[in-house]
Amino acid sequence: MKCPQCLKDCSKVIESRDAADGDAIRRRRECLTCTHRYTTYERVERPNLAVIKKDGSRELFDRNKLFAAVHRSVGKFLTSDMEIEELVGRVEDGLHNLGVNEIHSRQIGDMVLDELAGRNEVAYVRFASVYREFKSVEEFEQTLKALRNRRS
Ligand SMILES: [Zn+2]
């Protein structure tokens, strides 16, 4: 692990502990060359997941892309980037729990909707409209009705 300061690959670990969510180990390191202290995170490597897009092409699942998509479409309706981070983390866990190695982008969209359903009605409808490409007001109304039905 290269020191970010002097780029020498020689450090000792001075502290190790689980990160907040238990998914990662956080290590405090000290560079043996310049004594700079820095932090590294060690995560379990997750198997690659292919996303099948609407046009039939495939690309690797990328949590940063999902974060960006949620942020762009409904970020202003959610409380903070932390909330989006949490939402994306839950979707990502759900995806990996499915144990599949490919998934349609639409299913990911549905999982995001499931998360939004319990959080924010405006964000739910807005996200649905973006990823399902609503073409009419009726589609909005149907989506809203479906959301209210699942709540009651
Ligand atoms: Zn160094």
Side-chain angles (χ1 to χ4, degrees), residues 2-11 30-38:
K2 274 186 188 161
C3 167
Q5 188 123 306
C6 69
L7 306 179
K8 293 280 181 350
D9 185 10
C10 193
S11 67
E30 187 179 298
C31 175
L32 295 177
T33 308
C34 73
T35 73
H36 179 63
R37 291 186 172 192
Y38 56 104

